[in-house]
């Protein structure tokens, strides 16, 4: 099991949701967040010594998946969130120790 954390541009959310549904991923959590990457939140590359750390609004998707879904999920997010501009986002893939489905008490892959 993996936890896929994807930080994307808010405008790409609808296309990412459609892409995930096409690979049969129908369970996810979405959080509004702010952050910056290697341009320190600038819209474009700027010269000079001054570094402004401007937070940008992003959406973080959290998707817990079983192993066979990892590659299709990452691929779907990568393709649907891509605009080619800076700030398109990042996908982190994290090992997931366990999952417990509260209503049934199931554990592990069956609970995902
Ligand atoms: N190493 C990181 N750790 C935590 N959050 C990150 C990291 N890199 C990026 N993020 C988050 O992802 C968002 C989008 O990152 P972004 O796409 O700008 O990354 P980048 O490395 O600057 O790539 P690009 O050059 O394509 O802009 C950031 O606003 C931040 O919230
Ligand atoms: Mg960036």
């Amino acid at each position: 099991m993996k936890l896929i954390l994807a930080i994307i541009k808010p405008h790409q959310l609808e296309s990412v949701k459609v892409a995930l549904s096409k690979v049969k991923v129908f369970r996810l959590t979405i959080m509004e967040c702010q952050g910056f990457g290697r341009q320190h939140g600038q819209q474009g590359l700027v010269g000079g010594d001054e570094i402004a750390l401007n937070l940008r609004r992003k959406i973080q998707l959290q998707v817990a998946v079983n192993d066979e879904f990892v590659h299709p999920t990452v691929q779907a997010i990568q393709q649907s969130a891509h605009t080619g501009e800076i700030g398109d986002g990042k996908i982190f893939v994290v090992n997931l120790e366990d999952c417990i489905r509260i209503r049934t008490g199931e554990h592990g892959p069956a609970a995902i």
Side-chain angles (χ1 to χ4, degrees):
M1 293 176 291
K2 303 279 188 199
L3 181 62
I4 298 170
L5 303 174
I7 302 169
I8 63 167
K9 290 181 166 170
H11 276 112
Q12 299 306 112
L13 177 59
E14 282 310 312
S15 93
V16 171
K17 283 197 294 186
V18 170
L20 286 174
S21 69
K22 285 182 181 164
V23 293
K24 307 260 183 288
V25 172
F26 300 113
R27 295 160 206 164
L28 56 86
T29 300
I30 289 168
M31 303 170 80
E32 292 183 9
C33 61
Q34 297 178 39
F36 47 77
R38 62 192 70 196
Q39 292 83 17
H40 309 286
Q42 296 294 322
Q43 287 289 19
L45 285 169
V46 290
D49 297 328
E50 201 176 322
I51 295 172
L53 301 179
N54 293 323
L55 292 164
R56 296 281 162 198
R57 289 190 189 285
K58 301 287 175 184
I59 295 283
Q60 188 191 69
L61 289 105
Q62 304 182 345
V63 194
V65 293
N66 285 318
D67 292 345
E68 64 270 29
F69 281 88
V70 175
H71 180 67
T73 301
V74 169
Q75 202 171 36
I77 296 171
Q78 204 266 323
Q79 289 172 357
S80 59
H82 181 270
T83 70
E85 303 293 326
I86 60 167
D88 266 356
K90 274 192 189 150
I91 304 171
F92 304 110
V93 181
V94 183
N95 282 325
L96 185 59
E97 198 72 32
D98 202 359
C99 168
I100 297 98
R101 190 177 178 191
I102 292 176
R103 179 170 63 85
T104 60
E106 291 164 286
H107 277 248
I112 290 277

